[in-house]
Amino acid sequence: MSQVSKNREAVADRTVVGIDFGGTKIEVALADARGTVLERVRMETRADQGPDQALDRAVAAARRLERLSLRTHGMAVGAYAAVSPGVIQSDRILLAPNLPGWERIALARRLERALGAEKVAVCNDVRAGALAELRFGALRGVDPGVYVSLGTGVAAALTIGGGVVAGAHRAAGEIGYVDPGGAGAGAVAEGHAPLEEIVGGKALGERASDLLGVGLTAEALFLRQDAAARRIVRAALGALAVAISNIAVFVDPERIVVGGGMMASADTILPTLTAHLARTVPFPPQVAVAHFVEDASLYGAVALALDHLDAAHGGRHPGDRSGPAGPRRRADPGPAGPQSAAGDPVQCAGASGRR
């Protein structure tokens, strides 16, 4: 048997564990070498109780899945990955206000010690979502591509050459801090995220509630047909469209995919973005709903762990995978593992080089 065949066999006989830390929930998944989720555990984050209890419970769940992998599926876990909101650096996590105390957490090292693993790959949750789309979803075969996440907050990720761009400070794609016009020179320094405060689901719902005098979520706002509600929606989507158009002019992406909780209103959001791009971008990209709408970051953690597993065994091109079996919302057609900067944890930043 050739070394390549041995490597492929070694990868096929392993499972991976992906951990998705969020502001309200934590999910831990066990997946096979094709990305199919075999088991998953969901729990509350209890963010107000600090990071230690959340990390301890996630590790305990990962341990249970390790045992289940051997007992039920006859395979050992070969790689781990974790994703989290914020800017994940080697010794801290920045810009994650929904996870108080996490700014002091060295996520990769903490999980490596707790799991007894040589490496735990880590990634920002939105870039993880882009990685899931790149491996299994609407960005598969697309180069370059842009992934936009519209939920409580707003963020994006750029995919080039089969990898997700991390940026010099692991902060690429934090478009919530983009100034859509009129934010003021010191807005970010004063702690504001100008675009997110206009378009983010939480801020949009709060602003609409104040203006209309009734408690509203962003989803409820999009369903309203009265003129005042329509004006609020148009203003928010107009600011978003300007930001995305500017990104499209600079990057010239083949496709932009949009995911996140606000895609419940895709019938309003996507036509607005498509029309604005058609008017303002010399070569307008296709705009599509993301393949993973509800759990992109969890599948991103799985994809990152699989890349790490492949790299450890001199593996295969990720395009060899047919993709995960699991809950997905849209199967639009849509290229590949982790690199580590000196002193930094393995992140979903670069291409795997397995072409």
Side-chain angles (χ1 to χ4, degrees), residues 202-226:
K202 182 175 184 293
L204 185 56
E206 290 174 350
R207 186 167 69 257
S209 297
D210 290 341
L211 292 174
L212 301 177
V214 59
L216 288 172
T217 63
E219 183 176 357
L221 173 67
F222 275 91
L223 292 174
R224 288 177 63 119
Q225 298 302 315
D226 55 281

Side-chain angles (χ1 to χ4, degrees), residues 62-159:
R63 290 295 198 193
R64 290 197 299 273
L65 291 181
E66 287 176 356
R67 295 191 292 271
L68 193 63
S69 182
L70 280 173
R71 185 173 66 249
T72 303
H73 303 286
M75 294 181 284
V77 172
Y80 307 83
V83 306
S84 161
V87 177
I88 303 176
Q89 299 184 340
S90 60
D91 59 346
R92 57 186 179 170
I93 300 176
L94 304 177
L95 305 182
N98 292 331
L99 292 173
W102 290 64
E103 64 273 9
R104 299 184 297 274
I105 294 296
L107 185 60
R109 289 202 296 270
R110 180 73 174 265
L111 291 174
E112 285 162 3
R113 287 197 298 269
L115 292 167
E118 182 179 352
K119 287 288 184 183
V120 174
V122 297
C123 186
N124 163 272
D125 57 353
V126 173
R127 288 199 297 278
L131 189 67
E133 296 294 333
L134 192 60
R135 296 292 180 268
F136 312 124
L139 290 176
R140 189 175 175 88
V142 171
D143 193 16
V146 173
Y147 171 74
V148 179
S149 176
L150 300 179
T152 301
V154 179
L158 173 63
T159 64

Side-chain angles (χ1 to χ4, degrees), residues 2-355:
S2 70
Q3 188 59 49
V4 171
S5 297
K6 290 179 180 178
N7 290 339
R8 285 176 179 268
E9 186 175 299
V11 169
D13 288 342
R14 296 289 187 272
T15 55
V16 298
V17 168
I19 305 173
D20 175 19
F21 292 103
T24 59
K25 65 179 174 63
I26 300 168
E27 287 200 89
V28 187
L30 177 74
D32 67 16
R34 299 180 69 83
T36 301
V37 171
L38 306 172
E39 311 284 348
R40 61 197 291 177
V41 177
R42 179 172 178 166
M43 65 194 81
E44 293 181 353
T45 304
R46 304 174 192 166
D48 59 332
Q49 297 179 24
D52 290 340
Q53 55 81 29
L55 289 164
D56 289 346
R57 289 186 295 114
V59 167
R63 290 295 198 193
R64 290 197 299 273
L65 291 181
E66 287 176 356
R67 295 191 292 271
L68 193 63
S69 182
L70 280 173
R71 185 173 66 249
T72 303
H73 303 286
M75 294 181 284
V77 172
Y80 307 83
V83 306
S84 161
V87 177
I88 303 176
Q89 299 184 340
S90 60
D91 59 346
R92 57 186 179 170
I93 300 176
L94 304 177
L95 305 182
N98 292 331
L99 292 173
W102 290 64
E103 64 273 9
R104 299 184 297 274
I105 294 296
L107 185 60
R109 289 202 296 270
R110 180 73 174 265
L111 291 174
E112 285 162 3
R113 287 197 298 269
L115 292 167
E118 182 179 352
K119 287 288 184 183
V120 174
V122 297
C123 186
N124 163 272
D125 57 353
V126 173
R127 288 199 297 278
L131 189 67
E133 296 294 333
L134 192 60
R135 296 292 180 268
F136 312 124
L139 290 176
R140 189 175 175 88
V142 171
D143 193 16
V146 173
Y147 171 74
V148 179
S149 176
L150 300 179
T152 301
V154 179
L158 173 63
T159 64
I160 296 178
V164 184
V165 175
H169 301 93
R170 307 294 182 185
E174 295 288 345
I175 64 170
Y177 294 91
V178 167
D179 181 0
V188 173
E190 293 168 3
H192 293 284
L195 182 63
E196 185 166 294
E197 290 171 8
I198 296 174
V199 184
K202 182 175 184 293
L204 185 56
E206 290 174 350
R207 186 167 69 257
S209 297
D210 290 341
L211 292 174
L212 301 177
V214 59
L216 288 172
T217 63
E219 183 176 357
L221 173 67
F222 275 91
L223 292 174
R224 288 177 63 119
Q225 298 302 315
D226 55 281
R230 293 295 88 201
R231 283 195 296 271
I232 297 169
V233 169
R234 281 197 301 272
L237 293 184
L240 177 66
V242 168
I244 292 179
S245 292
N246 289 337
I247 292 169
V249 169
F250 180 65
V251 174
D252 186 25
E254 181 180 346
R255 180 179 297 149
I256 295 174
V257 302
V258 189
M262 288 178 66
M263 280 299 94
S265 305
D267 290 347
T268 300
I269 295 171
L270 260 64
T272 301
L273 296 181
T274 300
H276 190 88
L277 287 164
R279 294 193 303 268
T280 60
V281 178
F283 300 95
Q286 180 187 5
V287 182
V289 177
H291 186 61
F292 300 99
V293 174
E294 297 177 346
D295 45 14
S297 53
L298 179 65
Y299 279 97
V302 168
L304 182 58
L306 288 170
D307 281 355
H308 185 35
L309 178 65
D310 283 352
H313 291 277
R316 58 189 172 184
H317 190 289
D320 292 344
R321 299 191 189 100
S322 62
R328 293 170 286 184
R329 290 280 299 276
R330 184 77 57 96
D332 293 323
Q339 290 179 336
S340 179
D344 275 350
V346 177
Q347 300 229 12
C348 55
S352 67
R354 299 184 301 284
R355 303 196 184 286

